[in-house]
Amino acid sequence: MSEIKFLDLLKINQQHRTELIQAVTEVIDSGWFLNGDFLTKFEQEFATYTGAKYVVGVANGLDALKLIFQSYKEQGVLKDGDEVIVPAHTFIASTLAVTDNKLVPIFVEPDLASFNMDIDLIEQRITPKTKAILVVHLYGRICWSDELERLAEKYQLKIIEDNAQAVGAEWKGRKTGSLGHAAAFSFYPGKNLGALGDGGAVATADADLAQKVKAIANYGSGRKYEHLYKGINSRLDEIQAAFLSVKLKSLDAGNERRREVADRYLAGITNPLIELPTYPQAQEGQADKKGHVWHLFVIKTKNRKALQKHLAAREIQTLIHYPTPPHKQAAYPEYNHFSYPASEQIAEEVLSLPISQVIEVNDIEEIIEAVNQFQIITNGPN
Ligand SMILES: *Cc1c(COP(=O)(O)O)cnc(C)c1O
């Protein structure tokens, strides 16, 4: 019995070994490494895939988010001190993009069952200063609804999607990344569409925003040595773009395989100490399978420490996403006194089980059995 890895990146990329080597060879032989044909090709393919009008490749997901906010500031849509609705339960990149741009995050509690921002709690947090909503499709599950669109319309808010985790997920036939006014993607190796290094992209239907993102990512320059903005250097290089073109072709198959793994877990785990994640609902009682791409399979338990130890003893790797919400991080002393009980409860109870497009059925069965065998041994009465 060998260890079951949380994520087997070696195996994931071995599947594409021949094509990846072919791709890197083509880039080497082109003699051109930045802002070339491989980037343009991937941007076009990714735009077609997501249904977004424009895609701009950038260096990573955090930059993609930051560039969206900075570009809205250059457009005059946002200004210093404006408020942005953000989920209280998310990876810190979401909030860093807001605060780095001198915008104020207004935290909204998650729904305990979906882990996503509770859309019904947004309206009460809107003030005259609120200008945008940053939605995060956390763990691969869509965070979207008609109500969200109604709020954006009513209060004239921009909706920005942090789509680092849900590439390929759909809402009513529309893909994440094309639902809001702008979207940020991460191609960090462990994401559902992973590069072999860092990578990211911005998607939008707003031509002016796309142009600004591209310019700001290029030292604020649209034309050589003319600098319109105080920009940064944030590029998706040719090698990563070529790799991503290879891997994009099997993204849907990989996501479908993740759903099969999730379905096995959902059917097999019966331990009453464990609370399972869910698919979004299309209608009452009907799972919307396209609405989840299972970037992570996150269970909840009041006995997390013991469960993680129990699984580790059986050589099953697990991780916690995330142990501390952004408002409780040392990086944000100004928010540490805030209390968001739902997000804090989630941070204490979640545990991520192994899931990927390459995990073996025997491994899943072994994990299910181990989770079902977990019990709390009490010392009994004295
Ligand atoms: C991974 C991730 C990011 C950041 O992406 P990087 O490419 O690592 O910069 C942002 N938001 C969320 C929710 C993520 O999971």
Side-chain angles (χ1 to χ4, degrees):
M1 202 174 77
S2 64
E3 180 165 59
I4 301 176
K5 290 201 174 75
F6 181 73
L7 181 67
D8 193 342
L9 279 180
L10 176 63
K11 195 166 171 189
I12 287 174
N13 289 301
Q14 284 289 346
Q15 290 185 304
H16 310 288
R17 193 170 190 277
T18 311
E19 276 191 280
L20 293 172
I21 289 171
Q22 171 77 23
V24 75
T25 305
E26 283 175 28
V27 176
I28 292 169
D29 291 347
S30 78
W32 194 271
F33 304 103
L34 293 165
N35 298 332
D37 294 344
F38 289 95
L39 175 63
T40 306
K41 179 169 175 278
F42 173 69
E43 287 174 339
Q44 283 167 358
E45 289 166 352
F46 200 58
T48 304
Y49 178 82
T50 54
K53 208 157 174 196
Y54 306 99
V55 166
V56 182
V58 299
N60 56 65
L62 176 57
D63 277 3
L65 282 169
K66 290 208 275 195
L67 284 159
I68 290 169
F69 286 111
Q70 192 180 343
S71 298
Y72 275 132
K73 289 181 83 178
E74 296 294 353
Q75 277 191 344
V77 168
L78 297 174
K79 60 176 188 320
D80 286 6
D82 280 349
E83 294 175 357
V84 180
I85 302 280
V86 299
H89 173 59
T90 183
F91 180 55
I92 196 164
S94 316
T95 54
L96 286 175
V98 172
T99 53
D100 279 0
N101 277 289
K102 301 192 172 70
L103 301 163
V104 180
I106 302 297
F107 298 102
V108 168
E109 284 269 59
D111 170 61
L112 285 172
S114 75
F115 302 110
N116 273 331
M117 178 159 66
D118 187 340
I119 291 169
D120 292 337
L121 301 179
I122 292 178
E123 193 160 18
Q124 67 199 63
R125 301 287 275 153
I126 293 174
T127 77
K129 284 184 148 183
T130 311
K131 294 288 147 51
I133 303 173
L134 177 61
V135 300
V136 183
H137 308 292
L138 203 69
Y139 306 154
R141 181 186 165 127
I142 45 159
C143 178
W144 205 266
S145 69
D146 292 321
E147 169 66 5
L148 181 69
E149 292 187 348
R150 188 193 68 80
L151 286 175
E153 186 71 31
K154 180 173 170 191
Y155 296 97
Q156 289 298 296
L157 308 175
K158 294 290 183 195
I159 309 185
I160 297 148
E161 299 173 75
D162 177 340
N163 199 25
Q165 301 193 0
V167 62
E170 286 180 19
W171 186 78
K172 296 186 182 174
R174 291 154 63 198
K175 283 216 167 66
T176 51
S178 69
L179 300 172
H181 298 95
F185 291 84
S186 164
F187 307 123
Y188 177 81
K191 299 290 160 77
N192 289 30
L193 177 61
L196 279 70
D198 272 318
V202 171
T204 183
D206 179 338
D208 180 69
L209 191 80
Q211 205 186 346
K212 283 187 167 65
V213 166
K214 206 172 175 74
I216 295 169
N218 181 35
Y219 299 104
S221 169
R223 208 183 306 167
K224 209 157 192 177
Y225 305 126
E226 271 179 33
H227 300 272
L228 297 167
Y229 320 105
K230 294 186 183 75
I232 60 172
N233 171 8
S234 185
R235 299 163 178 147
L236 181 63
D237 67 67
E238 291 286 282
I239 290 178
Q240 297 306 333
F243 286 155
L244 287 165
S245 286
V246 169
K247 294 184 76 179
L248 179 60
K249 290 185 287 179
S250 56
L251 174 61
D252 283 343
N255 282 343
E256 200 45 47
R257 175 80 185 106
R258 285 169 181 270
R259 288 187 189 107
E260 288 166 20
V261 177
D263 288 346
R264 272 182 188 270
Y265 277 143
L266 292 172
I269 298 174
T270 52
N271 190 331
L273 296 170
I274 308 297
E275 199 182 315
L276 291 165
T278 56
Y279 280 99
Q281 303 268 297
Q283 292 149 30
E284 265 301 293
Q286 193 195 326
D288 171 17
K289 293 225 164 177
K290 298 269 185 200
H292 211 320
V293 292
W294 300 101
H295 172 57
L296 296 169
F297 190 90
V298 179
I299 60 173
K300 268 191 304 190
T301 174
K302 303 275 181 207
N303 313 99
R304 177 173 69 190
K305 210 172 159 188
L307 176 61
Q308 196 169 29
K309 214 175 129 194
H310 167 88
L311 295 174
R314 284 154 185 77
E315 297 201 78
I316 297 165
Q317 292 182 352
T318 57
L319 290 175
I320 295 167
H321 299 91
Y322 301 93
T324 309
H327 71 279
K328 292 295 184 194
Q329 294 285 355
Y332 284 122
E334 64 273 45
Y335 305 134
N336 285 175
H337 65 285
F338 288 168
S339 163
Y340 296 106
S343 97
E344 288 152 35
Q345 185 187 333
I346 285 175
E348 275 174 30
E349 296 182 359
V350 286
L351 189 68
S352 306
L353 300 182
I355 190 165
S356 78
Q357 62 272 48
V358 298
I359 190 167
E360 303 282 346
V361 171
N362 329 343
D363 288 345
I364 307 161
E365 296 303 330
E366 198 177 311
I367 296 165
I368 290 170
E369 199 184 310
V371 170
N372 284 339
Q373 281 166 354
F374 173 66
Q375 49 187 333
I376 295 300
I377 295 122
T378 52
N379 291 324
N382 291 324

